[in-house]
Amino acid sequence: DTLEKVTFMNKLDMKNHNRLLDSLNRVKENFLIKNPNSFERWQKAKEVMPGGNTRTVLHYEPFPLAVDRGVGTHLYSLDNDCYLDFLGEYSAGLYGHSNSKILNAIKGAVDSGLVLGAPNKWEGLLAEELCSRFNSIDRVRFTNSGTEANLMAIGAARAFTGRDKVMVFDGSYHGGVLYFKDNSSPVNAPYNIIKTGYNEVARTVELIKENAADLAAVLVEPMLGSGGCIPASIEFLKSIRNATHESGVCLIFDEVMTSRSSGGGLQELLQINPDITTLGKYLGGGASFGAFGGRSDIMSLWDPTAPDALAHAGTFNNNTISMSAGFIGLTEVFTKTVARDLFNKGENFKATLNELCKQHDVNLQVTGVGSILGLHVRDGAILHPPKYSNFELNKLKLIHLEMSLKGFLFAQRGYMTLNIEMEDTHLEQFVDAFEDVIVSYKDIFSSRV
């Protein structure tokens, strides 16, 4: 009886695999038929860029949809199809694509002249606003990206402590040269890295204490973004805060994504103050942006009036477009009230999708914090970045392409965000389309293979 049961299950697994592959191939064909101009653009781009790509995350199978323009929360492809944007430029598109106040700020900066090569009126105003919002930030400096912000924060921690090592976590992403998913990337910055498991309290505290004499910083996302939108437990983060404080190690919160969680970032909701915070994404109002800030005694290392100050270069650190759009965005658009409302909207949206998965008994769930969410093809608690089989990855591809054909864009790995231009009807349309997809393939999404 046991042998017959195993044989039956193997046949069922194979049937599910074959049905998934057949469905995925059919959807890919439909995707090509629907998007011939995107396909042609990709083919031509491959002649001059490796894989037709200059930003790895934007590539997906069978080829990436090319966008011609954006209005509000809608995107229009080269094939003139309209989509609801649930990717939100990986959280940088918080304001949507045509907020009038943001656009006016950018136009004003352009009209006043570009590349001024001098301090301008906007940078001090934006810095003042950030310092007032984040309780842990006494002083702040600007960069061109979140990657640069994290590099400078690590530099500050090493200079301040006189130590060398940096602790990071499996599945974390802190920029193009600070990539710690699976095996570390060969293009990573050559820091002396200690890597351990996310949400692993005891082991993390143990490693901090063991390496205290040489450990400059612990760099952690309060929610793994690229690693699957996995929130850190409060116990995990508080244990790190206590251990780093006792050992004189700098705690760096990477809030490049999660700063949108409230007026003062996710750290405000968690009531945990790091020593240094890194920022980026939406805070430039849609233009390139990064920032790092924290305790006065650490940030004073960068004071150019001091005789032994550290140098911090960057031609576009204080560019007027990012500075003006960032300031107007925070003071006139993304107020603390708007931040709270968007967070709650995201939490409710997540709960609705998870209830739908439970209702239809499918092996799917949505994780994340507030308006930054991640779709996963497994149930149960997810505390670490999951290691998916090809079968599971194909499930994500199927959902992604089917939702694209229905007019909704998000990342093929399941990453999605909300923006302030989204209305309740947009979320309801997504829920209806998502339900249609999971019901259509219920036998596949119910499989635990």
Side-chain angles (χ1 to χ4, degrees), residues 359-419:
Q359 175 187 332
H360 290 289
D361 191 28
V362 291
N363 188 29
L364 303 170
Q365 69 171 296
V366 178
T367 62
V369 173
S371 59
I372 304 177
L373 306 171
L375 174 65
H376 292 274
V377 288
R378 60 179 56 175
D379 55 12
I382 300 178
L383 300 176
H384 318 285
K387 296 185 183 298
Y388 284 133
S389 66
N390 287 333
F391 182 67
E392 291 172 312
L393 291 174
N394 281 335
K395 289 182 182 181
L396 283 172
K397 292 174 185 176
L398 180 62
I399 296 173
H400 169 260
L401 293 176
E402 281 284 16
M403 290 296 288
S404 173
L405 292 172
K406 293 178 180 294
F408 302 88
L409 294 183
F410 54 91
Q412 194 162 80
R413 69 174 187 241
Y415 179 98
M416 62 184 78
T417 70
L418 309 187
N419 64 67

Side-chain angles (χ1 to χ4, degrees), residues 141-144 148 290 312-319 322-323:
R141 288 181 74 88
F142 299 118
T143 66
N144 293 280
E148 289 183 26
H312 172 209
T315 300
F316 297 102
N317 286 350
N318 68 332
N319 77 86
S322 299
M323 298 295 101

Side-chain angles (χ1 to χ4, degrees), residues 200-217:
E200 294 183 6
V201 178
R203 181 57 177 159
T204 299
V205 171
E206 180 184 17
L207 283 172
I208 292 173
K209 292 180 178 179
E210 286 180 0
N211 292 275
D214 303 308
L215 187 60

Side-chain angles (χ1 to χ4, degrees), residues 277-308:
T277 298
T278 58
L279 304 168
K281 301 292 187 185
Y282 75 93
L283 283 164
S288 299
F289 180 86
F292 65 104
R295 288 166 29 191
S296 291
D297 55 344
I298 298 175
M299 295 303 296
S300 65
L301 294 170
W302 308 99
D303 182 351
T305 65
D308 56 350

Side-chain angles (χ1 to χ4, degrees), residues 82-97:
C82 180
Y83 297 85
L84 277 169
D85 181 9
F86 277 80
L87 177 57
E89 183 54 294
Y90 291 88
S91 82
L94 173 71
Y95 297 116
H97 305 290

Side-chain angles (χ1 to χ4, degrees), residues 73-111:
T73 189
H74 292 88
L75 294 171
Y76 295 85
S77 72
L78 291 185
D79 294 279
N80 295 316
D81 291 311
C82 180
Y83 297 85
L84 277 169
D85 181 9
F86 277 80
L87 177 57
E89 183 54 294
Y90 291 88
S91 82
L94 173 71
Y95 297 116
H97 305 290
S98 54
N99 183 278
S100 60
K101 291 183 178 180
I102 298 293
L103 291 180
N104 286 336
I106 292 174
K107 290 175 182 176
V110 171
D111 290 341

